[in-house]
Amino acid sequence: MNKSQPIRMCISCRERQPQGSMLRLKMADNEIIAYDGSGRSFYLCDVCSKNQKKIKGLIKRFKQDEERFLKLLEELIKNG
C-alpha cells in the first residue's frame, strides 16, 4: 500500500503541495533559518523559492537582510 505525504501550504503563493517537495523554514531571533526540528515552521514551494519578486516580498514582510536570506535559500536549494 502506498503511503501518501502530508499536504502543506506555501507561505508565499498559498498553493498546497506534498510536504517533501517544499523548503521548511522557521523564524528564530527575528531571522529566517532552516528548520532544525524544534518550534513552529512554515513552508516555501520550489517555484516561489526561485521567483525574485516573491523573494523580495518575503524579505520585506519578515524584515530580513536580503543578502543573508538569498544565501540561505541558495544553500537549501542546493542541498535539496
Side-chain angles (χ1 to χ4, degrees):
M1 180 171 244
N2 195 8
K3 188 170 179 164
S4 64
Q5 284 188 335
I7 302 297
R8 299 292 181 246
M9 185 169 45
C10 174
I11 194 168
S12 183
C13 67
R14 316 287 283 176
E15 273 194 37
R16 290 171 176 16
Q17 296 182 8
Q19 180 179 356
S21 68
M22 302 176 84
L23 295 176
R24 192 170 185 183
L25 306 167
K26 79 173 202 171
M27 286 288 290
D29 300 323
N30 294 325
E31 288 188 13
I32 295 177
I33 60 172
Y35 185 69
D36 60 2
S38 65
R40 295 193 62 153
S41 64
F42 57 92
Y43 293 87
L44 190 63
C45 71
D46 189 46
V47 174
C48 291
S49 68
K50 295 175 182 169
N51 183 326
Q52 291 300 319
K53 188 174 180 181
K54 300 269 185 176
I55 291 171
K56 294 270 185 195
L58 289 173
I59 290 169
K60 187 175 181 180
R61 183 191 314 169
F62 291 112
K63 299 175 181 137
Q64 296 296 301
D65 176 49
E66 183 175 355
E67 198 172 302
R68 192 195 65 75
F69 187 66
L70 291 173
K71 185 178 178 184
L72 172 68
L73 284 179
E74 183 181 303
E75 183 178 308
L76 288 173
I77 292 169
K78 188 174 95 175
N79 293 336

